Amino acid sequence: MEENTDLAVPVPPLRSITMEKYQKVIAFFKELGFQFDISRFDDRLIAQKLVCLLELKGIDLGYSCSLYVRGPYSPDLTQDLYAFPAEFAALVSGSRLTPQEKETAGELGRIFGLKPVSLEVGATYGYYTLRQGSDPLEAVRQVKRLKPFYSEAQVALGVSKAKQFLFTPTEKDLEALKEETGIWQRASLTSREYRGE
């Protein structure tokens, strides 16, 4: 029997798909200035939360996240972090970021830095709101339930950073913010005048 090759569709080997995924993540880490060390728990946590936040922002890196005690987590990413530790440590990648991806990485870095607590809280809040459809107040309650070991201030800061990174403010939001900050600016000026500065 003769094989019909006209209908055959070439399927790329699984390894090249995996390499493509992890190399894109390395490109993001490089853009963020994140020197990853597989032996450090905080680095593994930071890596997970950076990737999950990028996924929540709409950048498809191919690493789906599920919710665990320490927030969103991708078992596939963990597998690649352990499979390619030298490449991650040296930030060696054949992948390049698009201008939009570079802009998103810059925004992520400016807002969160590489701070594990803010990243963990922010990614968890983002997961509850964007993946599970929780309203903002319920998402905060769920974050507090899942992370009772973090203070109110740490939760508030992480949530604030998540909102800033993941959600685009409406015109109404910007006006309300402008009005609120205007009140504080006027109060600050009045206080300085009172002290004679």
Side-chain angles (χ1 to χ4, degrees):
M1 183 181 220
E2 198 173 308
E3 189 177 313
N4 182 352
T5 58
D6 292 338
L7 300 176
V9 176
V11 177
L14 183 58
R15 181 159 167 80
S16 72
I17 292 170
T18 299
M19 282 180 22
E20 197 174 282
K21 284 171 46 175
Y22 89 81
Q23 288 191 10
K24 189 66 149 189
V25 171
I26 290 172
F28 270 104
F29 287 1
K30 188 173 186 174
E31 186 69 23
L32 288 161
F34 176 43
Q35 283 298 139
F36 177 77
D37 180 348
I38 192 75
S39 69
R40 292 196 308 246
F41 174 79
D42 275 356
D43 281 9
R44 294 190 306 273
L45 185 139
I46 290 167
Q48 286 286 340
K49 302 322 170 222
L50 289 173
V51 169
C52 289
L53 280 163
L54 289 166
E55 289 275 349
L56 289 169
K57 184 74 171 175
I59 294 177
D60 183 10
L61 295 169
Y63 292 104
S64 61
C65 298
S66 301
L67 199 57
Y68 290 79
V69 173
R70 294 305 296 257
Y73 169 84
S74 170
D76 291 340
L77 176 60
T78 295
Q79 186 176 2
D80 282 352
L81 291 172
Y82 279 100
F84 307 104
E87 290 90 336
F88 276 99
L91 298 176
V92 174
S93 173
S95 186
R96 297 199 186 282
L97 300 182
T98 66
Q100 181 183 5
E101 290 169 336
K102 282 185 176 195
E103 184 179 320
T104 300
E107 184 182 4
L108 177 59
R110 278 188 306 280
I111 293 170
F112 282 98
L114 297 172
K115 307 225 179 335
V117 174
S118 291
L119 286 165
E120 182 180 343
V121 170
T124 305
Y125 174 82
Y127 187 87
Y128 279 127
T129 56
L130 295 172
R131 290 289 188 268
Q132 293 191 341
S134 299
D135 70 64
L137 290 176
E138 179 57 27
V140 170
R141 281 192 289 273
Q142 290 173 333
V143 168
K144 288 179 181 178
R145 261 195 307 270
L146 188 64
K147 303 183 179 311
F149 41 88
Y150 289 136
S151 70
E152 289 280 333
Q154 289 171 312
V155 170
L157 182 62
V159 167
S160 174
K161 289 177 181 289
K163 287 179 178 181
Q164 190 178 354
F165 179 66
L166 295 171
F167 304 101
T168 306
T170 65
E171 285 298 320
K172 184 178 177 182
D173 294 335
L174 292 173
E175 280 302 314
L177 183 62
K178 190 175 177 182
E179 185 177 313
E180 183 178 326
T181 57
I183 293 168
W184 290 108
Q185 286 174 346
R186 286 189 297 279
S188 173
L189 290 173
T190 302
S191 175
R192 293 176 92 191
E193 288 171 3
Y194 176 76
R195 290 189 309 231
E197 294 178 9

